[in-house]
């Protein structure tokens, strides 16, 4: 099986790079049409913001966090990557969160005109502990 994802050092720089099925993402000679994404591309995916925040636990009430952003340069919904820490805020364990993962994690992401809103509830197996979230916002010109 070929490697298809790099988040880190590659070819003398740090990148987020994903190859299409059947292509080894570590191959520096891959053509753009053999990749699904490369953060070095000038026209897409440039990370314009990133950060960390916590959402507390302790009840079944929904908790939200807003990330303000203005839309110049965001002619389309931005590329948004969100990771959530493990139970009891375990920072050695991280989960990728999809835009609306209400079945597994009870976490959802909403795109507003002036912000991105993340909400979570403590019901389900996510548990009632505090969680740390890391996010990255990238430019998306393709929509």
């Amino acid at each position: 099986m070929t490697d298809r994802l790099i988040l880190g050092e590659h070819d003398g720089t740090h990148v987020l790079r994903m190859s299409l099925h059947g292509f080894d993402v570590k191959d520096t000679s891959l053509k753009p049409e053999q990749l699904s994404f490369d953060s070095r591309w000038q026209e897409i995916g440039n990370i314009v913001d990133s950060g960390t925040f916590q959402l507390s636990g302790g009840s079944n009430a929904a908790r939200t966090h807003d990330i303000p952003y203005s839309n110049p340069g965001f002619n389309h919904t931005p590329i948004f990557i969100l990771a959530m820490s493990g139970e009891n805020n375990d920072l050695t364990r991280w989960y990728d969160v999809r835009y609306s993962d209400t079945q597994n994690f009870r976490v959802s992401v909403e795109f507003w005109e002036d912000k991105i809103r993340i909400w979570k509830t403590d019901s389900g197996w996510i548990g009632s502990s505090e969680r740390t979230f890391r996010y990255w916002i990238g430019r998306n010109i393709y929509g």
Side-chain angles (χ1 to χ4, degrees):
M1 177 177 260
T2 58
D3 291 326
R4 296 196 48 215
L5 175 68
I6 292 176
L7 178 57
E9 200 280 321
H10 173 72
D11 198 23
T13 188
H14 287 81
V15 299
L16 170 60
R17 180 175 154 122
M18 292 174 272
S19 66
L20 295 175
H21 181 74
F23 296 97
D24 187 346
V25 73
K26 296 178 292 186
D27 183 348
T28 57
S29 67
L30 288 181
K31 297 177 180 154
E33 55 269 13
Q34 296 168 321
L35 297 167
S36 57
F37 182 81
D38 190 322
S39 61
R40 296 173 293 179
W41 290 341
Q42 295 297 313
E43 71 277 5
I44 186 169
N46 303 99
I47 294 175
V48 296
D49 193 14
S50 63
T52 303
F53 63 91
Q54 285 82 33
L55 288 176
S56 63
S59 74
N60 285 334
R63 302 213 174 18
T64 62
H65 179 80
D66 291 341
I67 302 167
Y69 74 90
S70 59
N71 211 0
F74 286 122
N75 296 326
H76 303 288
T77 302
I79 297 169
F80 187 74
I81 301 170
L82 181 66
M84 179 180 69
S85 68
E87 191 171 2
N88 297 315
N89 213 19
D90 179 357
L91 300 180
T92 65
R93 187 170 198 163
W94 291 89
Y95 299 98
D96 294 327
V97 177
R98 294 187 174 95
Y99 292 109
S100 185
D101 198 345
T102 56
Q103 181 176 354
N104 293 319
F105 295 124
R106 303 287 195 259
V107 174
S108 186
V109 178
E110 300 170 349
F111 294 94
W112 296 42
E113 189 173 313
D114 60 344
K115 66 186 164 219
I116 300 171
R117 173 169 282 170
I118 293 91
W119 65 262
K120 83 169 186 81
T121 61
D122 294 332
S123 61
W125 76 267
I126 188 174
S128 60
S129 63
E130 178 181 80
R131 299 288 179 129
T132 296
F133 292 82
R134 293 179 179 163
Y135 67 89
W136 298 265
I137 301 173
R139 186 171 46 154
N140 177 14
I141 66 168
Y142 295 112

